[in-house]
Amino acid sequence: MICLAFLVATRGDVAPTFQNDRVALEARVESLLSAMTLDEKLSQIHGDSKFTTAAIPRLGIPRRWMSDGPHGVREDVGPDTWNPAGRTDDFATYMPANICLAASWDAELANRYGTTIGQEARARGKHIMLGPGMNIMRTPLNGRNFEYFGEDPFLASRMAVGYIAGAQSQGISSCAKHFLGNNQEVQRGSINVEMDERTLREIYLPAFKAAVQEAGVWSVMGAYNRFRGQYCCHNELILNQILKKEWGFRGLVMTDWGGAHSTKESVLNGLDLEMGTNTSYDRFFLANPFKAGLASGEYSMALLDDKVRRNLRVMIATGALDHRPTGGSLNTAEHQQTARKVAEAGIVLLKNTNDLLPLDAKRIRSIAVIGDSANRKFGYGGGSAGIKAFYEVTPLEGILRKAGDQATVTFAQGYQVPTRRAFGGPDVTGINPAEAAKAAEATRKLLLDRAVQAARSADVAVLFVGLNHNRNSDTEGSDRVDMNLQNGQDELIQRVTAANRNTVVVLIAGAPVAMSKWLPKSKALLLAWYPGMEGGNAIAATLFGDVNPSGKLPCTFPKRLEDSPAHALGAYPGKDGLESYTEGLLVGYRWFDEKKIEPEFPFGFGLSYSKFEYSAASVAVGPDSVMVELDVKNVSTRDGSEVVEIYVAPRQSKLMRPQQELKGFTKLMVKAGQTGHAKVHLPMASFAYYDPAVRSWVVDAGTYDVRIGASSRDVRSTANVTFRTSMLLKD
């Protein structure tokens, strides 16, 4: 194809500055901006199809492509529809869900994850990838919890920085989303979120701040909801004042699709790129209505130029104007290995009575694999996170590959996920709802009986239960209605564990579920999340001991929904369009600690096939940081990895503070019988809180306990540091 960029008028046939990739970024931006007409400028700040902005051939500006996919590059859809485009070259590696990545507690692995996303985005011709999702898990019911990094802002920050740095190293822009307060899907398009300033600064902003100031993310997506009365996609406080002015963000802010509601607020309050589901692209708020406002003098040209600069800056920074080769790669062996490594590292062993796991493949003659989730593929579901995977190894396939040659493997579905039918009279298939219900009950009993018989006849039963990506069950656009397992799975677990005492329960889910009905009688429990296209192999490797589990929970698993703060206080899902975060700072484990509530499993919890002993910790206080060091000994006969978690607990404070907060961690691989050395750097900000009275971060004078543990409730070593004077820190 002939490049038309050189048709721009120049003196003496010298290429304009913006075409020279050796010129400084800002000089190129200004050169290109000065060459653009009004209509060309406007074309760059709103979509011209579902996932693109217009090309400007005479300036060498290509059509800019965006794609959903925190877990991979989404299948292409038609230009003006959400229906699949019907392509055969839009497959992608289906990575484990972000919540699984968070459970690995491995920032370097997050970088590999992001690198994979970036390479495949390049191969698919994308410029901006809409991810990662970075909202905090405030309620177990949020339908998109599986897309996020859990309940703790520090852990979420470390995962986000690794992910974004890896993705953007491949010449694409990540897009941090959803900024801000999109912590539920119920009423997401209208709910007004209110929280106090400390809660905003200490809980809900840190991951986004780290994405901007540490990872250098080039794009940020506004959330659908309102924040303090204004829609987040054009919110003066969070976009102009905090993101751009305080944090110095130089990239672009885009809407979630259809997230803009006003031309005036979009123009004035920090929005730079409007995307949407409405196909009348010229009628977008930042299209013809903005143009009319410019013509009338309501808006200054400087407002438009700032938006265009930000879009051009991202294009140039990611190489879009330099005729970058397609590059990248799809579904390489390395990508598959990364997907499997994340799945293995994120699997959490929650219970292992009498060391039932790992299973000994040489001694087991028969295995009953039970549960719909054992043979279900999850890649295509979940809303915008869905992936058209090259392949997906189910848990049943993984077990067959691992043990099928040595043992007889049988499968029983156990339960059925119902197909939604019409209300009232017969549906399109002619089946009356009453008759369908009767048939469904008969099928339920039959599947249950067959599962029990399979379990009773086998040496070991491996029972797969959990959620899926159907409506009200881990998907965009709807929250769960409660924490319970659906479709009779509680009864199935109880019946199967009674029939075979050697039953391993494997949970496939992106958020906490209620376990009180069956957990006491279950000997072993693995949490596999949504483990991606290599998930079946990763699960089988963990079950049979080829992989030693090392995942830790990135969220608290409550015994009851009403133990969670937003539900205990009756704050969810809001009232009369208002959602007040009355729990304040006490999100997740902070609430459970403060209220002395015993969770089912605490934040940071995860077992291993190895046993680890921690030495006494030492701390060294420097001028601007504290160094924590200790030894971790593997006292078992199996190599394993241990996450060492560091919590800071102030003994005194002028303002209320959580009893303890995660401020550091490291993951050590320690060979059997050997000792590893943990060294964790705590910057002074680790000891600070935000004081609204002085609009700054404050470290109070006094003593702070530094708790080192295997979970938030399993402290193995404690040290302390004392600061003689209070300090104000720069934001």
Side-chain angles (χ1 to χ4, degrees):
M1 181 177 68
I2 298 175
C3 176
L4 301 180
F6 295 98
L7 297 182
V8 177
T10 62
R11 292 183 180 179
D13 294 326
V14 176
T17 299
F18 64 80
Q19 290 177 346
N20 189 343
D21 61 6
R22 291 172 293 181
V23 173
L25 173 63
E26 291 305 313
R28 295 184 70 188
V29 169
E30 293 304 318
S31 171
L32 185 51
L33 181 68
S34 67
M36 299 175 74
T37 67
L38 173 61
D39 286 337
E40 287 172 342
K41 290 178 180 180
L42 287 165
S43 74
Q44 298 306 293
I45 64 171
H46 67 83
D48 73 331
S49 81
K50 292 290 188 189
F51 282 96
T52 64
T53 57
I56 307 177
R58 78 175 189 91
L59 297 176
I61 295 177
R63 200 175 197 193
R64 183 172 36 163
W65 287 87
M66 290 153 244
S67 177
D68 276 318
H71 311 134
V73 188
R74 187 181 180 182
E75 174 186 32
D76 288 336
V77 298
D80 303 313
T81 176
W82 289 109
N83 296 326
R87 301 176 65 94
T88 58
D89 59 354
D90 57 350
F91 290 85
T93 299
Y94 167 37
M95 301 293 286
N98 279 356
I99 192 72
C100 181
L101 175 62
S104 75
W105 292 60
D106 189 332
E108 292 182 5
L109 190 58
N111 187 280
R112 285 177 56 186
Y113 187 113
T115 299
T116 299
I117 299 294
Q119 289 176 351
E120 300 211 345
R122 281 287 299 276
R124 290 271 302 277
K126 309 303 181 184
H127 300 95
I128 300 177
M129 285 298 299
L130 308 180
M134 293 157 45
N135 296 102
I136 295 297
M137 186 185 292
R138 178 175 177 256
T139 165
L141 303 187
N142 183 7
R144 300 184 82 169
N145 279 332
F146 72 99
E147 293 187 50
Y148 304 145
F149 294 126
E151 71 187 27
D152 183 77
F154 181 79
L155 178 61
S157 297
R158 296 307 93 207
M159 294 297 107
V161 167
Y163 180 121
I164 293 166
Q168 294 195 163
S169 72
Q170 302 305 306
I172 62 102
S173 169
S174 287
C175 183
K177 65 181 189 181
H178 308 88
F179 193 61
L180 176 86
N182 185 186
N183 306 112
Q184 64 189 59
E185 291 297 283
V186 172
Q187 304 174 53
R188 69 175 182 175
S190 60
I191 196 74
N192 179 33
V193 170
E194 293 282 352
M195 67 180 75
D196 66 80
E197 194 68 12
R198 286 191 66 200
T199 299
L200 171 66
R201 299 282 178 166
E202 296 186 32
I203 302 295
Y204 295 100
L205 286 181
F208 290 98
K209 182 180 179 182
V212 171
Q213 295 190 336
E214 295 182 54
V217 73
W218 278 114
S219 306
V220 172
M221 179 187 289
Y224 278 125
N225 53 280
R226 303 173 193 252
F227 180 74
R228 295 182 182 171
Q230 279 189 332
Y231 281 104
C232 289
C233 287
H234 35 73
N235 187 292
E236 168 67 17
L237 173 64
I238 64 173
L239 299 184
N240 279 340
Q241 297 303 316
I242 295 177
L243 179 64
K244 294 182 176 181
K245 185 176 180 180
E246 290 186 25
W247 297 351
F249 178 63
R250 299 167 63 230
L252 67 88
V253 174
M254 72 169 67
T255 62
D256 206 335
W257 267 232
H261 298 267
S262 160
T263 295
K264 184 174 183 177
E265 291 194 2
S266 296
V267 171
L268 298 178
N269 295 348
L271 180 63
D272 304 307
L273 176 59
E274 181 183 1
M275 303 300 295
T277 60
N278 187 326
T279 58
S280 301
Y281 304 109
D282 288 340
R283 297 180 183 177
F284 277 19
F285 295 107
L286 289 184
N288 285 346
F290 187 13
K291 184 177 182 179
L294 289 166
S296 70
E298 182 179 4
Y299 309 123
S300 70
M301 187 61 67
L303 289 166
L304 173 60
D305 285 350
D306 179 68
K307 299 179 190 302
V308 178
R309 279 190 186 94
R310 290 175 177 276
N311 280 271
L312 297 180
R313 192 175 288 137
V314 176
M315 289 186 204
I316 294 171
T318 56
L321 266 62
D322 296 321
H323 317 295
R324 63 178 186 174
T326 300
S329 52
L330 284 171
N331 196 40
T332 64
E334 183 179 5
H335 294 176
Q336 296 168 11
Q337 291 165 5
T338 298
R340 179 163 176 171
K341 176 62 176 176
V342 173
E344 292 172 348
I347 289 174
V348 185
L349 178 61
L350 293 175
K351 188 175 182 180
N352 194 20
T353 305
N354 297 328
D355 292 329
L356 176 59
L357 293 176
L359 302 174
D360 187 346
K362 296 180 180 179
R363 301 180 59 182
I364 296 173
R365 297 181 179 179
S366 57
I367 305 169
V369 179
I370 299 170
D372 179 84
S373 292
N375 202 34
R376 178 177 288 269
K377 294 183 178 181
F378 296 96
Y380 206 73
S384 63
I387 300 298
K388 186 177 176 181
F390 281 97
Y391 64 85
E392 183 176 347
V393 180
T394 67
L396 176 59
E397 291 171 337
I399 291 172
L400 285 169
R401 292 179 184 182
K402 176 61 186 175
D405 291 341
Q406 296 105 335
T408 299
V409 179
T410 59
F411 172 68
Q413 186 176 348
Y415 65 95
Q416 189 174 53
V417 178
T419 301
R420 297 182 67 186
R421 295 186 176 276
F423 291 102
D427 65 10
V428 293
T429 64
I431 299 176
N432 186 282
E435 295 175 357
K438 184 183 296 184
E441 177 60 18
T443 299
R444 186 191 71 81
K445 291 181 178 179
L446 178 62
L447 292 176
L448 181 58
D449 289 343
R450 286 177 176 174
V452 170
Q453 181 58 41
R456 188 176 291 123
S457 303
D459 292 339
V460 172
V462 185
L463 174 56
F464 291 85
V465 297
L467 307 176
N468 52 59
H469 290 313
N470 290 351
R471 184 167 179 80
N472 301 126
S473 181
D474 276 349
T475 189
E476 179 184 5
S478 67
D479 286 349
R480 295 156 62 198
V481 296
D482 54 40
M483 277 178 53
N484 298 327
L485 294 175
Q486 304 300 314
N487 310 311
Q489 292 181 82
D490 285 337
E491 181 182 1
L492 174 65
I493 300 171
Q494 294 176 76
R495 292 279 302 277
V496 168
T497 53
N500 189 325
R501 63 181 182 179
N502 294 324
T503 295
V504 180
V505 179
V506 181
L507 180 63
I508 308 290
V513 303
M515 303 178 179
S516 60
K517 295 180 180 178
W518 49 265
L519 183 61
K521 295 183 180 180
S522 303
K523 292 181 67 175
L525 174 60
L526 271 183
L527 173 58
W529 310 103
Y530 296 105
M533 60 192 278
E534 281 287 331
N537 289 331
I539 291 170
T542 305
L543 288 171
F544 289 94
D546 295 335
V547 169
N548 191 345
S550 62
K552 302 274 189 171
L553 289 179
C555 55
T556 303
F557 271 52
K559 291 180 180 291
R560 308 175 305 159
L561 180 61
E562 52 266 38
D563 288 341
S564 295
H567 300 273
L569 297 171
Y572 170 91
K575 184 177 181 181
D576 299 327
L578 176 64
E579 175 82 350
S580 295
Y581 286 22
T582 52
E583 71 278 7
L585 300 173
L586 300 180
V587 176
Y589 66 89
R590 294 163 170 80
W591 170 268
F592 286 79
D593 289 347
E594 180 69 24
K595 303 301 179 181
K596 296 180 172 55
I597 300 172
E598 186 68 25
E600 196 74 81
F601 295 106
F603 175 82
F605 177 81
L607 302 174
S608 169
Y609 298 151
S610 301
K611 304 296 182 185
F612 300 96
E613 292 181 351
Y614 289 48
S615 72
S618 65
V619 295
V621 181
D624 57 4
S625 66
V626 173
M627 187 63 70
V628 182
E629 297 187 62
L630 72 154
D631 291 332
V632 177
K633 184 176 182 179
N634 184 341
V635 294
S636 70
T637 59
R638 186 183 293 268
D639 298 348
S641 294
E642 174 72 341
V643 177
V644 178
E645 304 167 28
I646 312 294
Y647 296 85
V648 171
R651 293 186 183 178
Q652 66 292 305
S653 178
K654 293 179 181 178
L655 299 182
M656 186 283 294
R657 299 188 66 177
Q659 292 189 14
Q660 60 177 358
E661 295 180 283
L662 179 74
K663 293 300 179 181
F665 62 87
T666 187
K667 193 166 190 174
L668 299 176
M669 202 293 290
V670 187
K671 292 185 176 296
Q674 295 189 10
T675 299
H677 186 70
K679 191 173 183 179
V680 180
H681 171 80
L682 298 180
M684 208 57 68
S686 303
F687 302 88
Y689 62 89
Y690 187 82
D691 187 347
V694 296
R695 297 183 180 181
S696 183
W697 293 86
V698 177
V699 179
D700 283 336
T703 300
Y704 296 77
D705 290 327
V706 178
R707 300 173 178 172
I708 303 96
S711 82
S712 60
R713 294 284 179 101
D714 184 8
V715 176
R716 304 288 184 89
S717 181
T718 302
N720 62 75
V721 295
T722 299
F723 302 115
R724 297 181 181 277
T725 60
S726 297
M727 293 172 274
L728 292 181
L729 305 181
K730 293 182 179 180
D731 192 9

